Amino acid sequence: MDVMYLDNAATTQTHPTVVECMIKSFKNEYANPSSLYDMGLTNEKMIKRAKSTLAGQIHCHPEEIIFTSGGTEGDNFLIKGIIEKQREDRLKASRIITTKIEHPAVKEIFKLYESYGIDVVWLPVKSDGFVDMDVLQKAVTPNTLLVSIIGVNNEIGTIQPLQEIGEIVKQRSPDCFFHSDYVQGFMKEPIDVKKCQLDGLTVCGHKINGPKGIGAVYLKEGKNIKPLMLGGGQENGLRSGTENIQGIVGLEAAIKIWENPDVMKKIKSLRDYVASELIKIGDVKINGPIDACPSVMSVSIKGIRGEVLLHSLEARGVYISTGSACSSHKKEKNTVLKAINLDRDYIEGTIRISFSALTSCAEVKKAVLIIKEEVEKLRAFLNR
Amino acid sequence: MDVMYLDNAATTQTHPTVVECMIKSFKNEYANPSSLYDMGLTNEKMIKRAKSTLAGQIHCHPEEIIFTSGGTEGDNFLIKGIIEKQREDRLKASRIITTKIEHPAVKEIFKLYESYGIDVVWLPVKSDGFVDMDVLQKAVTPNTLLVSIIGVNNEIGTIQPLQEIGEIVKQRSPDCFFHSDYVQGFMKEPIDVKKCQLDGLTVCGHKINGPKGIGAVYLKEGKNIKPLMLGGGQENGLRSGTENIQGIVGLEAAIKIWENPDVMKKIKSLRDYVASELIKIGDVKINGPIDACPSVMSVSIKGIRGEVLLHSLEARGVYISTGSACSSHKKEKNTVLKAINLDRDYIEGTIRISFSALTSCAEVKKAVLIIKEEVEKLRAFLNR
């Protein structure tokens, strides 16, 4: 059976070109970059080159890039790193701010610190997922230590106006650390970390057809944070551990694929096609704003249960999700959909469809037909 | 020029068979193991199978295995996880114990907690690198919270008697968490974590011809520790982040290569050959005990400087090191050699030669000839 994989916001297939680059690297670039000899130095240079490639995409200095094992490490490293750098007495008098629609990696860290008695503000969002600027303005106080806002939401694709947010944050609390989990936005929605006045940004490889187990953070020069991992002192002491050279090579190769504007152009046309076709079913809502990031779409189909549809689609080779894969372990479900105040009828019937550089028009067309058929079957069954 | 790579204690070349397994996995096993559909569940099963393979090697239950991004993460996760689980008042009254010959990943964590005012005991070692059991016996007090001992030293190969150590630790402080950094010992020196009464063990992939960026820890069932990374709740909430499936596949494939007893048999014969040849040079010491782990050897050559020899060997294609790659970022050098009380003359002239499953007899023979020639040249030059 053909596989129509449309759950690319959960993870993507590693691109064959990325795998090719990694195979070559496995063969030649194995020496430890911390070694004193040429083979090690060559690999250190290669890592620097990859940092330049990444820095070019987000408009920072290559030395502001630190490689991690993925998005979760990046969020933990930056957020914990800022908070745990503070003296406890200062921390107890500080505020930290995030939104109600964060990825679990950010949400769980904030919940931890909230349990320690730190003042946490969970910003509400409007029905299209945007942070309310008036609420933000009031929330950011001079003692606000950290603001972390998901740049592109992983379920409904809302692209937050990070530049506008950055202005408010820095105006109200100039020393506040402004962070964004940009795992879903990286290479999909251009970003300039300097213009946005960001101090930290989290990205990862496996959402852009790169390998799993590799990610990176941008950490603004001069920002002093506590390392999550101590040891050999790699990454200027900020992230110890032998560098994952092949992961880094793979991440760089993935960036080179996505920097071709045709990739997002194709994804946008696929997204528009799916939206226009599914809306025809009737009693269907596309969640999020009209200008959401095209790589991920949230579709609510009244009268069915998303999980039932997921399994009936799976039986026909179409792979979608009902929400964040990283929430499947959690008791709390649908926090994003609740935050945008979606009707309960629609929440139950929500699926997430997401695209990558490897998604083809043919598979999407076939998948849309199958989705329509399965929705019709499920609705007919429920109305008997 | 032929490459004779003999710095396998720093890192190894990923075995072609491992790369093959990963290539297949990249193609087919890309779905997120947290997904609700079959493709995700298949990958979850594959991860469980890899845990069984690993558990079989160290004699624990598969559910006691947690995958990490490598040895450094493993050490940070387990050691910090135990310490930070304690209430601060209890912690201030606790003792933690390690040795003077730990890898920087362990050493730096202990130094951090020492700076916080926690009572740290740095166990001295004897001239062959063994922990003195009498000193250990006296050091472990009922309020000792954690003992972390490197199982196989990364420079001189000393294999600590972990079973004997475990008995002393548990007898003196039954609730004490007994941990070992086993990155250099894994698949080289058999271990039974239950017999050793270990509560935690750190291993990684890239020292056994597996990929970089993957490791694992054993955490004894029932031991409650604080996660280093919060998020999607993977690994029973203990290690969030999308699983590095291809890294896990690669690690499992590497274990399967090393479980063939011929690998260590060959390495032992290579080690014995190198030792017997280099000793002939004169004024040469092989550091560590006679029954050191054969995969790593420390050789001290009087009258030369290790780093100079390293570069003259490099020019002829022979790659060795002067010590731990992870110490090359540090100001403190040669801590292991100082801990075993090696004469300064010898410390300066110390090199580390280390082997992997891919090391061939031919390359070792050629390398030995070159080492002899270069030592002779350097000594002649210095004696002019």
Side-chain angles (χ1 to χ4, degrees):
Chain A
M1 190 168 59
D2 285 354
V3 166
M4 288 149 275
Y5 183 73
L6 298 175
D7 193 16
N8 292 285
T11 191
T12 58
Q13 185 178 16
T14 309
H15 198 288
T17 306
V18 171
V19 177
E20 280 299 320
C21 292
M22 290 175 74
I23 294 171
K24 265 189 215 156
S25 179
F26 272 124
K27 199 163 174 214
N28 302 312
E29 296 167 339
Y30 55 88
N32 197 314
S34 297
S35 301
L36 299 172
Y37 41 73
D38 55 6
M39 277 173 79
L41 299 180
T42 305
N43 293 346
E44 207 188 342
K45 270 186 212 157
M46 190 280 302
I47 291 172
K48 279 192 182 157
R49 189 198 63 208
K51 286 187 180 183
S52 291
T53 303
L54 209 165
Q57 290 299 327
I58 63 172
H59 303 281
C60 69
H61 194 276
E63 291 189 4
E64 293 174 314
I65 301 292
I66 299 163
F67 289 112
T68 66
S69 66
T72 295
E73 183 187 330
D75 287 338
N76 278 265
F77 169 44
L78 292 176
I79 298 174
K80 287 185 174 180
I82 277 297
I83 294 179
E84 309 229 333
K85 192 76 192 173
Q86 305 306 313
R87 280 182 42 189
E88 203 162 338
D89 50 348
R90 198 190 144 195
L91 204 53
K92 293 273 179 188
S94 295
R95 165 174 282 189
I96 56 178
I97 299 175
T98 190
T99 75
K100 288 189 175 175
I101 59 164
E102 294 299 312
H103 183 272
V106 171
K107 186 167 63 180
E108 295 298 322
I109 304 168
F110 272 77
K111 277 167 71 178
L112 176 79
Y113 289 114
E114 193 171 41
S115 78
Y116 290 174
I118 297 171
D119 176 22
V120 173
V121 174
W122 301 91
L123 297 172
V125 294
K126 299 192 234 176
S127 63
D128 46 13
F130 287 111
V131 167
D132 186 319
M133 294 300 155
D134 293 334
V135 177
L136 176 75
Q137 183 103 32
K138 281 171 202 151
V140 185
T141 46
N143 68 336
T144 298
L145 187 67
L146 170 78
V147 173
S148 182
I149 308 247
I150 187 164
V152 170
N153 183 264
N154 56 324
E155 295 192 28
I156 58 174
T158 308
I159 303 163
Q160 300 294 341
L162 292 177
Q163 193 172 338
E164 201 182 328
I165 293 173
E167 269 162 34
I168 293 173
V169 169
K170 294 292 175 177
Q171 193 192 359
R172 306 268 302 155
S173 179
D175 291 335
C176 174
F177 191 92
F178 180 31
H179 168 255
S180 179
D181 176 328
Y182 213 64
V183 165
Q184 292 289 347
F186 183 53
M187 300 310 295
K188 293 162 189 171
E189 176 63 23
I191 188 166
D192 183 322
V193 292
K194 300 298 174 190
K195 275 192 190 155
C196 294
Q197 301 185 61
L198 280 155
D199 302 295
L201 192 84
T202 306
V203 305
C204 85
H206 75 100
K207 310 282 191 192
I208 55 162
N209 304 105
K212 293 171 178 63
I214 188 74
V217 298
Y218 149 77
L219 174 65
K220 192 180 172 185
E221 205 206 325
K223 286 282 165 183
N224 201 359
I225 75 170
K226 191 172 159 184
L228 193 64
M229 295 191 209
L230 297 171
Q234 288 88 348
E235 301 276 13
N236 284 320
L238 284 167
R239 204 286 187 182
S240 290
T242 300
E243 294 88 343
N244 180 357
I245 304 173
Q246 284 69 45
I248 292 167
V249 165
L251 174 58
E252 190 185 23
I255 292 171
K256 300 227 173 255
I257 289 165
W258 282 76
E259 73 184 0
N260 182 342
D262 290 345
V263 171
M264 277 309 291
K265 213 181 279 175
K266 179 193 75 180
I267 287 174
K268 174 137 191 7
S269 80
L270 293 177
R271 193 252 186 218
D272 291 346
Y273 171 76
V274 174
S276 67
E277 286 298 312
L278 294 189
I279 214 85
K280 289 181 194 161
I281 298 176
D283 282 337
V284 162
K285 266 189 185 176
I286 311 292
N287 302 309
I290 192 88
D291 58 351
C293 183
S295 56
V296 55
M297 63 190 295
S298 170
V299 184
S300 295
I301 306 163
K302 204 174 174 177
I304 62 145
R305 282 189 53 217
E307 203 171 320
V308 175
L309 180 59
L310 179 150
H311 290 300
S312 61
L313 290 176
E314 169 189 4
R316 299 187 62 186
V318 177
Y319 293 89
I320 52 97
S321 70
T322 53
S324 163
C326 282
S327 295
S328 69
H329 296 278
K330 305 279 174 198
K331 283 178 206 156
E332 272 179 82
K333 300 241 183 235
N334 304 319
T335 49
V336 173
L337 304 178
K338 283 175 190 159
I340 60 167
N341 251 318
L342 194 64
D343 285 351
R344 212 192 140 138
D345 281 6
Y346 279 103
I347 286 184
E348 287 284 319
T350 301
I351 58 171
R352 182 178 70 171
I353 299 171
S354 48
F355 312 97
S356 88
L358 286 171
T359 312
S360 74
C361 288
E363 72 177 325
V364 167
K365 281 199 171 152
K366 205 172 151 195
V368 163
L369 285 176
I370 294 172
I371 295 170
K372 283 176 162 177
E373 283 173 22
E374 292 303 318
V375 169
E376 204 169 308
K377 270 193 224 164
L378 284 175
R379 280 188 173 165
F381 180 79
L382 291 166
N383 293 329
R384 273 193 313 187
Chain B
M1 189 169 58
D2 285 352
V3 167
M4 289 149 276
Y5 182 73
L6 299 175
D7 193 17
N8 292 284
T11 191
T12 58
Q13 185 179 16
T14 309
H15 198 289
T17 306
V18 171
V19 177
E20 280 298 320
C21 291
M22 290 176 74
I23 294 170
K24 266 188 214 157
S25 180
F26 271 124
K27 199 164 173 213
N28 302 311
E29 295 167 340
Y30 55 88
N32 196 314
S34 298
S35 300
L36 299 172
Y37 41 72
D38 54 5
M39 277 171 80
L41 299 180
T42 304
N43 294 345
E44 207 190 341
K45 271 186 210 157
M46 191 280 302
I47 291 172
K48 279 192 181 157
R49 190 198 63 209
K51 287 187 178 182
S52 290
T53 302
L54 210 166
Q57 290 299 327
I58 63 171
H59 302 282
C60 70
H61 193 277
E63 291 189 4
E64 292 174 316
I65 301 292
I66 298 162
F67 289 113
T68 66
S69 66
T72 295
E73 183 188 330
D75 286 338
N76 278 266
F77 169 44
L78 292 176
I79 298 174
K80 288 186 174 178
I82 276 297
I83 294 178
E84 309 230 332
K85 191 76 192 173
Q86 306 305 314
R87 282 183 40 189
E88 203 164 337
D89 50 348
R90 202 196 138 190
L91 205 54
K92 293 274 178 187
S94 296
R95 165 173 283 187
I96 57 177
I97 299 175
T98 190
T99 75
K100 287 188 175 176
I101 59 164
E102 295 298 313
H103 183 272
V106 171
K107 187 167 63 180
E108 294 299 322
I109 303 168
F110 272 77
K111 277 167 71 179
L112 175 78
Y113 289 114
E114 192 170 41
S115 78
Y116 290 174
I118 297 173
D119 176 21
V120 173
V121 175
W122 300 90
L123 297 172
V125 295
K126 298 192 236 176
S127 63
D128 45 14
F130 287 112
V131 167
D132 186 319
M133 292 300 154
D134 293 335
V135 177
L136 175 73
Q137 183 103 33
K138 281 172 202 149
V140 185
T141 45
N143 67 337
T144 298
L145 186 68
L146 169 79
V147 174
S148 182
I149 309 244
I150 187 164
V152 170
N153 183 264
N154 56 325
E155 295 192 29
I156 57 174
T158 308
I159 303 164
Q160 301 294 342
L162 292 178
Q163 194 171 338
E164 201 181 327
I165 294 173
E167 269 162 35
I168 293 172
V169 169
K170 293 294 174 175
Q171 193 191 0
R172 305 267 302 155
S173 180
D175 291 335
C176 174
F177 190 92
F178 180 30
H179 169 254
S180 179
D181 176 327
Y182 212 65
V183 164
Q184 292 288 347
F186 183 53
M187 299 310 295
K188 292 162 188 169
E189 176 63 22
I191 189 167
D192 183 322
V193 292
K194 299 299 174 187
K195 275 191 190 153
C196 294
Q197 301 184 63
L198 281 156
D199 302 295
L201 192 85
T202 306
V203 305
C204 85
H206 76 101
K207 309 282 190 191
I208 54 162
N209 304 105
K212 293 171 177 61
I214 188 74
V217 299
Y218 149 76
L219 175 64
K220 192 181 173 186
E221 204 206 325
K223 287 283 165 184
N224 201 359
I225 76 170
K226 190 172 161 182
L228 193 64
M229 294 190 210
L230 297 172
Q234 288 88 346
E235 301 276 13
N236 283 319
L238 284 167
R239 205 285 187 183
S240 290
T242 300
E243 293 88 343
N244 180 356
I245 304 173
Q246 284 68 46
I248 292 168
V249 165
L251 174 56
E252 190 185 22
I255 292 172
K256 299 223 174 261
I257 289 165
W258 282 76
E259 72 183 359
N260 181 343
D262 291 347
V263 171
M264 277 309 290
K265 212 181 280 176
K266 179 193 76 181
I267 287 175
K268 176 144 188 4
S269 80
L270 293 178
R271 193 250 185 219
D272 291 346
Y273 171 76
V274 175
S276 67
E277 286 297 313
L278 294 190
I279 214 87
K280 290 181 194 162
I281 299 176
D283 282 336
V284 162
K285 268 190 186 176
I286 311 293
N287 302 309
I290 192 90
D291 57 353
C293 183
S295 56
V296 55
M297 63 189 296
S298 169
V299 184
S300 295
I301 305 162
K302 206 174 172 175
I304 62 145
R305 280 190 54 217
E307 203 171 319
V308 176
L309 181 58
L310 179 149
H311 289 300
S312 61
L313 291 176
E314 170 189 3
R316 299 187 61 187
V318 177
Y319 294 88
I320 52 96
S321 69
T322 54
S324 164
C326 282
S327 295
S328 69
H329 296 277
K330 304 281 173 194
K331 283 178 204 156
E332 271 180 84
K333 298 240 185 238
N334 305 318
T335 49
V336 173
L337 304 178
K338 284 175 191 159
I340 61 167
N341 249 318
L342 194 64
D343 285 351
R344 213 193 139 137
D345 281 6
Y346 280 101
I347 286 183
E348 287 283 319
T350 301
I351 58 170
R352 181 177 71 170
I353 299 172
S354 48
F355 312 97
S356 88
L358 286 171
T359 312
S360 75
C361 288
E363 74 178 322
V364 167
K365 280 197 171 154
K366 204 173 154 197
V368 163
L369 286 176
I370 294 172
I371 295 170
K372 283 175 161 179
E373 285 173 22
E374 292 303 318
V375 170
E376 206 169 308
K377 270 192 227 165
L378 285 175
R379 279 188 174 165
F381 181 80
L382 290 166
N383 292 329
R384 273 193 314 191

